[in-house]
Amino acid sequence: MLVYLLRRIAQSIFVALAMMVIVFFGIYMVGNPVDILISPDATPAEIEATMERFGFDQPIWMQFLTFLGNALQGDLGRSFVHGEPAVQLILHYMPATLELAALGLFFSVLIGVPLGVYAGYKSDRWQGRAIMTGSIFGFSLPNFWVGMLLILIFAVELRWLPSTGRGDTVEVLGVRLSIFAEGGLQYMILPALTLALYKASLVTRLARAGTQEALVQDYVKFARAKGVSETRILFVHVLKNIMIPIVTVLGLELGSMIAFAVVTETVFAWPGMGKLLIDSILTLDRPVIVAYLMMTVLIFITINLIVDVIYTLLDPRVRISGAAS
């Protein structure tokens, strides 16, 4: 297990460094933020002074080496617009995105697993076919359209839930969160459901496929022969054995929820990292864009590593096959 863990950590470090190169050159070779940072009436001397102050007068490879040296010390630069360290700015907006993604993942599991298990159990009946047809809509409908539809129904017509904003927050272990604030959860329901729709459809299909495969196994036949109820067979014996692929996919999907919540945060005016990214792109705030992308990469890598470790604990064959290779 230790050898496997060390190998995965080494691979993660290599991926992080490779992505750092791609992200830096992909962002710093596009556009010229000086055109936005200073007045159009600025003199050539003022333009040159601004470029020198931000290091834009140096060759791109020299800028990368400076960035790399600072990044290894945890410094990804200072925001051109806000004048704060980019990492500190990202961390300020991160809790809003993380709690929204976590609630969205919870909704996707809460909706997808029971529907998928039931659809697998009733695969040859109209109930199973109806559930799978509904999952197609979950894959097909764009997030921004779903978000606007939910706002129209639940905020405008029924007036049950607020349409935009984050509401009140409370401090928990030094972090501002909405989910524990009075009335804060109601602000999260619509954007979390919007995030969860696609993931719930994915989980439904995974759970259905796993259930169909598990129902023909010998342990299910033995359980039925012993008189175990169908409910216990489905939600104890079957569910336990289909959780390995579901856990793997959910771990990866949590990372994608965090990274790609940009559209949902924009539709619901949710003050998270996605909204900060859009604002930074509009102003060519390179340090913030790079910091966002690098922290997203690190989140993906960390989640993948944790999922792999959990996978090996659930199925030791993965560890054995990895050691053999």
Side-chain angles (χ1 to χ4, degrees), residues 17-37:
L17 291 175
M19 288 304 301
M20 182 181 295
V21 174
I22 295 173
V23 167
F24 180 87
F25 285 97
I27 299 300
Y28 274 71
M29 295 183 70
V30 176
N32 185 9
V34 173
D35 296 336
I36 299 177
L37 293 173

Side-chain angles (χ1 to χ4, degrees), residues 26 36 39 52-53 56 75 78 103 105 132 149-150 154 157 176 185 189 203 211-212 221 224 238-239 260 297:
I36 299 177
S39 169
E52 183 177 352
R53 179 158 61 94
F56 298 151
D75 180 10
R78 297 182 69 87
L103 186 60
L105 188 68
M132 296 314 295
L149 182 64
L150 291 178
F154 294 101
E157 296 295 335
R176 305 296 303 185
L185 182 61
I189 292 177
V203 172
T211 300
Q212 287 182 308
K221 297 177 182 178
R224 283 174 173 159
V238 171
L239 185 60
F260 304 119
V297 167

